[in-house]
């Protein structure tokens, strides 16, 4: 083929038309290639129209394709985080059982008008102070003379008692409940006595000799909610106590968990009705002639904070025997508790405690076994104090 300028001739194609034809073919090729290889956006896939399944129907809104929503894996991660949070919460709840129990005890004290409630509010506002021990002196409405004899012998009064709390970390209170008719004359008498001395701990308990186990349980539950101490002590109001010696004994066991300290015994279970310390539930302890399990004598004993907290948490299900010292011992059966037998907590009255004091082995508590306390304690406690007391300097010079 020959190339000629111009058009016409023997069917040849002019050079101009050949160039235009090539350019046109090139443009068509570019257009065709772009339409074949351009892919839609991954998140903007339009479904073809048709009469098939709903899943193949064109998704359109106002003549435009609608974006297809993909699964959000953040939701899955949030579910996993929630599951982990629930597990953590379960562990936290378990660790708060003790605090919740203490709060319930405090609420009961507040609802029943406990005179120490304001003191507790003050301590909470500045953070709970740590004490060495709380001494609760078990007393009755008719024991005014016994209380006065203690106030003027071994129990510091007024500013000295406050100093004892602040400097030595020792709380001392007479523990008493209320009468069957709350607000009666005996209750008003205790209120007047408390306004004068300020040394009572009122608890939610109806007073009565046959209800001592319940009183002991309520005392520990209330005391552990009011004061954070290493030890909680119960002592009768006809017992002489040397506070510094008692503090030294307890401080030697302060680092031990679940400690139960006292003069341990396991006396016979009395089955004869009408005798003192008769046990109505004697059949639970086996055949006649059997002895009780090991427990501390009731005149004075001490338990560590863990055990006081245990009583507080479980007080509604702990069984009460007729004798309160037996009841306390039974509550610790089956627990990992260390029983510490210290005979300095149950010395006799003079000459026993007097000879021991002269030998340098001062007693922490003195009483007469035959009376389960100091016989005629209102008058004789002065004699015991004069001959067996450790001396006032021993208390203020003591380091616990």
């Amino acid at each position: 083929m020959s190339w000629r300028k111009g058009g016409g001739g023997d069917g040849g194609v002019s050079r101009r038309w050949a160039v235009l034809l090539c350019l046109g073919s090139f443009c068509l090729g570019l257009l065709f290639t772009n339409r074949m290889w351009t892919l839609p956006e991954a998140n903007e896939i339009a479904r073809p129209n048709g009469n098939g399944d709903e899943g193949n129907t064109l998704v359109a809104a106002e003549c435009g394709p609608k974006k297809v929503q993909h699964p959000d894996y953040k939701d899955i991660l949030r579910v996993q985080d929630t599951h982990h949070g629930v597990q953590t919460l379960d562990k936290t709840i378990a660790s708060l059982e003790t605090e919740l129990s203490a709060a319930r005890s405090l609420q009961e004290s507040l609802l029943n008008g406990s005179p120490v409630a304001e003191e507790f509010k003050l301590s909470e506002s500045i953070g709970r102070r740590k004490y060495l021990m709380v001494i609760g002196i078990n007393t009755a409405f008719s024991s005014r003379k016994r209380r006065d004899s203690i106030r003027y012998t071994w129990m510091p009064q007024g500013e000295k008692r406050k100093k004892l709390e602040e400097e030595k970390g020792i709380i001392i209170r007479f523990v008493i409940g209320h009468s069957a008719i709350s607000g009666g004359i005996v209750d008003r008498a205790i209120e007047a006595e408390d306004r004068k001395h300020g040394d009572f701990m009122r608890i939610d308990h109806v007073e009565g000799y046959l209800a001592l186990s319940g009183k002991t349980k309520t005392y520990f539950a209330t005391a552990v909610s009011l004061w954070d101490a290493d030890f909680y002590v119960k002592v009768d109001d006809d017992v002489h106590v040397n506070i510094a010696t008692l503090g030294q004994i307890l401080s030697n066991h302060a680092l031990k968990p679940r400690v139960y300290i006292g003069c341990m015994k396991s006396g016979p279970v009395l089955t004869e009705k009408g005798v003192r310390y008769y046990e109505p539930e004697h059949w639970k302890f086996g055949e006649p002639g059997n002895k009780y399990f090991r427990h501390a004598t009731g005149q004075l004993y001490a338990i560590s904070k863990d055990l006081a907290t245990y009583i507080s948490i479980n007080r509604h299900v702990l069984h009460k025997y007729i004798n309160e010292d037996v009841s306390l011992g039974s509550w610790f059966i089956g627990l990992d508790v260390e029983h510490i037998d210290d005979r300095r907590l149950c010395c006799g009255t003079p000459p026993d405690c007097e000879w021991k004091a002269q030998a340098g082995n001062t007693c922490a508590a003195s009483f007469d076994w035959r009376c389960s306390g100091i016989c005629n304690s209102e008058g004789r406690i002065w004699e015991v104090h004069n001959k067996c007391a450790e001396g006032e300097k021993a208390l203020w010079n003591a380091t616990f």
Side-chain angles (χ1 to χ4, degrees):
M1 178 187 303
S2 60
W3 299 92
R4 293 180 303 178
K5 293 181 181 179
D10 52 356
V13 180
S14 67
R15 183 181 300 173
R16 180 181 301 171
W17 285 107
V19 172
L20 292 175
L21 181 61
C22 290
L23 290 173
S25 299
F26 178 74
C27 292
L28 287 173
L30 289 176
L31 179 61
F32 180 79
T33 302
N34 287 336
R35 289 187 62 85
M36 288 294 294
W37 293 101
T38 301
L39 297 178
E41 294 287 340
N43 58 352
E44 295 181 353
I45 300 176
R47 299 173 183 172
N49 195 6
N51 298 323
D53 296 335
E54 182 179 352
N56 294 326
T57 304
L58 177 64
V59 181
E62 298 182 359
C63 300
K66 183 178 180 181
K67 293 184 178 181
V68 178
Q69 298 295 325
H70 293 280
D72 189 353
Y73 292 99
K74 293 181 179 179
D75 292 337
I76 299 176
L77 293 176
R78 278 194 290 267
V79 172
Q80 293 176 344
D81 290 341
T82 302
H83 179 67
H84 176 72
V86 170
Q87 291 180 327
T88 303
L89 183 60
D90 288 340
K91 295 179 181 179
T92 304
I93 290 175
S95 67
L96 289 174
E97 283 293 339
T98 299
E99 287 77 1
L100 288 174
S101 175
R104 294 189 193 101
S105 298
L106 172 62
Q107 184 183 35
E108 292 177 5
S109 298
L110 293 173
L111 292 175
N112 289 281
S114 172
V116 294
E118 293 299 325
E119 177 180 350
F120 177 75
K121 290 179 181 179
L122 178 61
S123 66
E124 279 292 281
S125 65
I126 60 177
R128 295 192 75 182
R129 157 89 186 268
K130 185 70 174 181
Y131 294 92
L132 171 64
M133 60 180 171
V134 175
I135 302 176
I137 307 173
N138 185 32
T139 192
F141 290 117
S142 59
S143 298
R144 173 64 185 266
K145 291 183 178 180
R146 287 187 179 183
R147 290 191 293 272
D148 284 340
S149 67
I150 288 177
R151 289 183 178 116
Y152 297 114
T153 53
W154 63 266
M155 179 180 177
Q157 291 297 294
E159 292 301 320
K160 288 185 177 180
R161 182 167 57 83
K162 294 181 180 179
K163 181 181 178 182
L164 184 67
E165 297 177 5
E166 296 172 357
E167 296 185 5
K168 302 300 180 180
I170 299 174
I171 302 289
I172 306 177
R173 295 289 189 276
F174 289 105
V175 180
I176 197 167
H178 56 83
S179 63
I181 304 175
S182 183
I185 186 171
V186 291
D187 291 300
R188 293 197 298 271
I190 291 295
E191 292 170 2
E193 187 178 346
D194 190 29
R195 285 194 295 270
K196 179 179 180 180
H197 298 283
D199 53 8
F200 277 93
M201 174 183 172
R202 304 297 299 275
I203 60 176
D204 183 19
H205 170 77
V206 178
E207 287 292 325
Y209 179 77
L210 297 180
L212 290 180
S213 293
K215 183 174 182 178
T216 299
K217 183 165 56 175
T218 303
Y219 158 63
F220 284 121
T222 306
V224 78
S225 72
L226 297 177
W227 297 287
D228 181 12
D230 291 328
F231 293 96
Y232 298 85
V233 181
K234 177 263 176 182
V235 59
D236 288 339
D237 62 2
D238 55 354
V239 173
H240 182 273
V241 177
N242 282 322
I243 301 174
T245 303
L246 177 61
Q248 292 289 354
I249 292 173
L250 297 185
S251 62
N252 290 334
H253 305 286
L255 299 180
K256 300 177 182 179
R258 299 177 300 279
V259 175
Y260 176 27
I261 306 175
C263 289
M264 299 295 165
K265 66 175 184 176
S266 53
V269 181
L270 301 181
T271 62
E272 185 179 351
K273 191 173 183 179
V275 301
R276 192 177 187 185
Y277 306 127
Y278 162 69
E279 178 57 72
E281 298 180 274
H282 56 84
W283 59 273
K284 290 185 178 181
F285 298 93
E287 301 301 323
N290 281 358
K291 292 185 176 182
Y292 286 115
F293 40 78
R294 202 75 166 159
H295 63 280
T297 184
Q299 286 83 357
L300 185 148
Y301 48 73
I303 61 175
S304 59
K305 180 182 177 180
D306 286 348
L307 295 182
T309 302
Y310 172 81
I311 293 174
S312 177
I313 293 174
N314 299 282
R315 64 189 183 277
H316 299 299
V317 296
L318 294 176
H319 184 69
K320 302 186 293 293
Y321 292 101
I322 194 68
N323 300 306
E324 54 97 7
D325 53 351
V326 172
S327 293
L328 184 73
S330 72
W331 298 337
F332 302 147
I333 293 294
L335 301 183
D336 186 13
V337 174
E338 181 177 359
H339 292 60
I340 297 175
D341 182 25
D342 195 317
R343 310 316 287 186
R344 289 175 292 175
L345 300 177
C346 55
C347 295
T349 55
D352 181 36
C353 59
E354 184 179 11
W355 291 343
K356 291 177 180 178
Q358 293 173 356
N361 189 27
T362 305
C363 294
S366 303
F367 56 89
D368 298 311
W369 281 100
R370 68 183 185 275
C371 298
S372 296
I374 298 176
C375 300
N376 186 26
S377 63
E378 297 91 338
R380 289 193 62 240
I381 197 172
W382 294 89
E383 173 198 350
V384 177
H385 184 68
N386 290 333
K387 295 181 178 180
C388 302
E390 60 195 354
E392 188 173 0
K393 290 183 178 180
L395 177 58
W396 301 115
N397 294 333
T399 56
F400 304 118

